[in-house]
Amino acid sequence: MNIRLDNLTVNFDDRFQLDEINWQLDDSQHWVITGANGAGKSALAAILAGAGESVAGSITGLPAKVGLVSFEAQAELIERERKKDDADIMDVIAEGTPVHEILHEGSRNPALIQQLVSMFKLEPLLERAFRKLSTGESRKVMLIRALASEPELLVLDEPFDGLDAHTLEMLQQYLHGLVETVPMVLVLNRFDEFPDFITHIAYVDQARLQHQIDCNDQQAYNDLYQLLHLKTTDLQVPAADPDTAIPKLDPTQPLVQLNKINITYDGQRIIDSLDWTIQPNQHWQLSGPNGSGKTGLLSLITGDHPQCYVNDIFVFGFQRGNGESIWQIKQFIGYVSTALQWEYKVGTGLRNVIISGFYDSIGLYTKATDRQKKIADEWLALLGMTDRADTPFNKLSYGDQRLLLIARAMVKHPPLLILDEPCLGLDDMNRQLVLALIEKICAGSETSVLYVNHHAEDKINGIDNYLTLEKRESNNH
Amino acid sequence: MSNNYFNTLPLREQLEQLGKCRFMSIEEFSDGVEALKGKKMVVIGCGAQGLAQGMNLRDSGCDVSYALREAAIAEKRQSWKNATENGFVVGTYEELIPTADVVLNLTPDKQHTPVVNAVMPLMKEGACLSYSHGFNIVEEGMKIREDLTVIMVAPKCPGSEVRNEYVRGFGVPTLIAVHEDNDPKGEGLALAKAYAAGTGGHKAGVLMSSFIAEVKSDLMGEQTILCGMLQTGSLLCFDKMVEEGIDPGYASKLIQYGWETVTEALKYGGVTNMLDRLSNPAKIKAFDLSEELKQIMRPLYNKHQDDIIDGTFSRTMMEDWANDDKNLLGWRAETAETAFEKTPAGDVEISEQEYFDNGILMVAMVKAGVELAFETMTAAGIIADSAYYESLHETPLIANTIARKKLYEMNATISDTAEYGCYLYNHACLPLLADFMKDIKTDVIGKGLELDDTGVDNARLIEVNAALRAHPVEAIGSVLRGHMADMKKIV
């Protein structure tokens, strides 16, 4: 394999354009593509899998079989499954394609699929509809699909995000085993995740391939690290909006009290008889492997999970199921998660996305006040997006969307801020920014933070309560 | 045999009921779900629509449970699974109906008579029975116990959208009505409004209508422009293209996705915008074709509307129901055998604009169908707002089902009443347009005009543009789309 990009300019649906790329990759190399959010990392990787429309220059030597894993590819598959859902025209609830079919789509090697399924411990999910998987679980399916296709080139865009520690280690080992046979290109945001077999780094900035660094060149490597690093000392969190004040809560009552909670899917119990109390001003970290029920547990609190009506749940002064509406609950919560990001498919401008946090809506259906607009603008300035206030949200890169949704969750200074793996898809610089923001909020007195994360190194100062969920074996009632 | 309720009314009242339709302002919903607080709501039917509405109402603070037939519970059927997995109380009719303050009948039309007959004796004194379609009351003449309040709340979108829009913090346009013969306590409107607010509908716009206006306009729309015209048009256009030597794969794709593409333009900017997507010569061509089509098809539209108004349509259909759907199922099977249905869409790239350029006849058919349906409905006394929703507004929704699974699936998945109406329309319209189709060539379907010179006569273009914009469906359309846009996109 010898891929050659000469002065290549590639257009992506008129949304984005990568300019004048000069790049050569051969069999003996393993690359990392890195850079800031929105710089064009994913786009550069996707070119290798044939995406985009070449408008100038040339690209030669692309192998026929490229295994690609990315959020975009995952989202596309989810969208495909969603389109297949005939629920609206058939008036029946459709389940969608089961995992085993999804896995066999691109591979002629059932033995390899079986081996990978077993490594990723996916056996219990083979019959489940792909659409019904958790974020981490569907990521694993994408990885197995790519690996099982026996590719000549493996392109993995943020492959480690959203994986629990065990799976992460297993995957890294597996990739090590491929070093001699399959050239790899990884898009990674985090320096500490670069595997040691990486030979070269491509640094992307402003839609151009700015630097190419040989990993043996220590000086160049250090310079790049500095370039990506942001000092986040003097950080001001924009104020809340006094006109949309959240009702005062009784400070002697817990924010959340869950008593003997159960969550069951298809007769399988995911959460079994769990007690959990969150007091005002307590900060919590929630962890556990993929599929251990973290997201389900959180959605019981937010009211998004229908089984919140069959559990003993007390939130913000309401015993659930007594005539309260979900909007009365949601007003106390700021929330960000990967699932929310998938749901948040709107073409409205960035300022409005932040303002929608005041109303807990996806999109904005209420006229914003001048003060709300001003607060939103302060957030945009903090994120360095002032010049894009009216850019449609769905034209942003994945990481920039994530940043916006974090601001949306924080904008009303909620009594409870739920951050479900907030740093997924963020580059080093923005990760530092978000972590610093969370620490600021923890240090204040108005918000309790509930933080979900796999990465042990993303420790947050101020969080001192921990809940760890274990994955339950199937059919364990 | 049942008694047609509409036919029992004096003319004065028939006209009054047909003319009911008012776009409500959001201030009228400031009490939210208050009228339903402390009341027990029991849903019958747990398909996508039943489940979505129940979940929304519960999330708005209402007390919702599901009554299913004993067999559905014992055999753990899909409806039972839908309800229990989502944490609802499920019970038999006998267990739940006697406790209900409001019973929501969300079963298909065809089941209404047996369902209502089973439920009514179990309902408590003074409770409320709610429908999402008025066929049972208006066409089948179902008599409801005098002490019961009867209302209708009909979200104008499929179940999945009813749920998704609510979760986003919005809703879908909804039609409400009170059956005036059954409003003993005068609380029907308050209950219907609270129910609409509980599903989020008030945020997207609510039309206050009557059972009669809903049924007579809904039937007319679905059997003519919505399903009938698209079905007939698909078959005629496909056969013509193949006859003229166009690649069948291309023809199949142009039609399957063409309706969706051209009606998307209709949805955003009415008939005017749909035709504005064409070049000037193509626009004039489409206009002329549609004028011709309207002239040929007008008697057919009149007949459909007349049969709907006087009850002939529903009587014929119910006779077929009683005869195990012989006519309908036979025709459904025939549809599956048509050349269009059996030719898969080819693997060719068709750009968005090309669907317009090469589908001039399809654009003309949509225009003719929308305008005729609208004109016929309003001539029959249905108010313009209703006529707009039941013709132009819903055409893109049906076009979308064709894009997914072509005609056979469209017919299998739309309501029984719509499919039966489509069957009647198609049978009459195919021969009606036979002569017209003889003169059709690929310049208006399949290849486009392919002109070197796209010049047109100024006077003629001005005439066509003025005629397009002056049609009454455009006037009411721009008002109603304006309401919707205000609500949906304040942003």
Side-chain angles (χ1 to χ4, degrees), chain B residues 429-472:
Chain B
C429 196
L430 283 176
L432 195 61
L433 293 181
D435 277 346
F436 168 84
M437 289 303 292
K438 280 185 191 146
D439 299 333
I440 294 295
K441 296 283 175 258
T442 53
D443 59 338
V444 293
I445 185 70
K447 286 191 180 158
L449 295 181
E450 299 180 308
L451 298 175
D452 294 330
D453 175 9
T454 55
V456 290
D457 176 50
N458 278 324
R460 181 64 186 140
L461 183 64
I462 290 167
E463 228 168 64
V464 166
N465 278 333
L468 281 174
R469 285 158 175 79
H471 193 277

Side-chain angles (χ1 to χ4, degrees), chain A residues 86 88 90 306 309 326 362, chain B residues 58-59 86 160 168 405 413:
Chain A
D86 288 331
D88 49 354
M90 301 284 284
Y309 292 99
I326 47 163
I362 291 179
Chain B
R58 180 174 65 178
D59 278 345
N86 285 295
S160 57
R168 295 161 70 94
K405 309 243 169 141
T413 53

Side-chain angles (χ1 to χ4, degrees), chain A residues 83 85-91 93 266 306-307 309-310 323-327 346 352 361-362 364-365 367, chain B residues 37 47-49 51 58-61 82 85-87 158 160 166-170 401 404-405 413 488 490-491:
Chain A
K83 283 216 173 105
D85 179 355
D86 288 331
D88 49 354
I89 50 173
M90 301 284 284
D91 205 51
I93 311 292
D266 304 330
Q307 290 178 25
Y309 292 99
V310 289
E324 75 293 339
S325 84
I326 47 163
W327 309 109
V346 296
N352 287 327
S361 57
I362 291 179
L364 186 61
Y365 309 105
K367 260 203 174 82
Chain B
K37 274 284 158 72
Q49 189 65 248
L51 182 63
R58 180 174 65 178
D59 278 345
S60 296
N82 292 348
E85 287 208 344
N86 285 295
S160 57
Y166 180 88
V167 170
R168 295 161 70 94
F170 197 52
T401 69
R404 289 187 191 216
K405 309 243 169 141
T413 53
K488 180 122 194 173
I490 284 172
V491 295

Side-chain angles (χ1 to χ4, degrees), chain A residues 17-54:
Chain A
Q17 180 161 308
L18 276 179
D19 288 321
E20 295 169 34
I21 306 291
N22 286 296
W23 194 18
Q24 277 195 54
L25 306 86
D26 72 39
D27 275 339
S28 64
Q29 300 171 342
H30 299 289
W31 285 78
V32 159
I33 304 175
T34 193
N37 288 131
K41 304 185 296 290
S42 296
L44 182 59
I47 289 178
L48 299 177
E53 187 190 348
S54 151

Side-chain angles (χ1 to χ4, degrees), chain A residues 91-309:
Chain A
D91 205 51
V92 294
I93 311 292
E95 295 287 329
T97 315
V99 167
H100 64 85
E101 276 182 35
I102 297 266
L103 290 179
H104 283 85
E105 278 174 5
S107 170
R108 297 222 183 91
N109 189 342
L112 180 55
I113 293 182
Q114 200 174 4
Q115 182 203 342
L116 288 161
V117 163
S118 141
M119 285 172 53
F120 280 93
K121 298 199 182 354
L122 221 59
E123 293 98 336
L125 300 178
L126 288 176
E127 296 302 324
R128 176 107 27 113
F130 178 69
R131 267 185 345 133
K132 296 208 158 175
L133 300 184
S134 75
T135 319
E137 287 163 350
S138 57
R139 199 85 233 263
K140 289 180 190 172
V141 172
M142 298 301 291
L143 283 163
I144 297 176
R145 261 164 71 104
L147 295 170
S149 69
E150 301 175 272
E152 297 157 77
L153 169 68
L154 201 48
V155 179
L156 304 176
D157 187 345
E158 291 293 348
F160 307 134
D161 262 0
L163 297 183
D164 51 61
H166 160 81
T167 314
L168 179 64
E169 192 182 327
M170 186 277 298
L171 176 62
Q172 281 172 336
Q173 266 182 23
Y174 188 84
L175 294 181
H176 266 276
L178 297 178
V179 163
E180 297 301 324
T181 46
V182 188
M184 287 178 251
V185 176
L186 278 59
V187 177
L188 292 173
N189 280 319
R190 303 164 59 110
F191 262 64
D192 53 2
E193 279 182 345
F194 290 12
D196 52 22
F197 59 76
I198 292 299
T199 60
H200 292 78
I201 300 172
Y203 175 72
V204 182
D205 190 28
Q206 296 180 358
R208 282 165 194 272
L209 176 52
Q210 301 281 11
H211 303 284
Q212 301 183 40
I213 291 155
D214 186 329
C215 288
N216 292 320
D217 182 348
Q218 196 60 41
Q219 184 59 43
Y221 187 89
N222 288 342
D223 288 348
L224 184 60
Y225 186 81
Q226 285 298 322
L227 188 67
L228 276 174
H229 210 280
L230 177 80
K231 305 214 179 325
T232 48
T233 43
D234 202 25
L235 200 61
Q236 286 297 325
V237 179
D241 174 21
D243 300 329
T244 32
I246 298 166
K248 281 276 167 283
L249 288 166
D250 178 352
T252 65
Q253 280 191 335
L255 291 177
V256 175
Q257 189 162 14
L258 309 180
N259 294 315
K260 306 249 170 314
I261 293 302
N262 297 317
I263 299 182
T264 309
Y265 297 122
D266 304 330
Q268 272 184 42
R269 192 157 281 187
I270 309 294
I271 301 259
D272 187 32
S273 197
L274 174 85
D275 292 320
W276 190 17
T277 304
I278 301 176
Q279 298 290 353
N281 276 311
Q282 271 185 349
H283 305 303
W284 283 81
Q285 177 154 347
L286 173 64
S287 49
N290 299 134
S292 60
K294 297 188 298 296
T295 302
L297 183 61
L298 295 176
S299 53
L300 280 186
I301 297 174
T302 59
D304 293 320
H305 199 301
Q307 290 178 25
C308 65
Y309 292 99

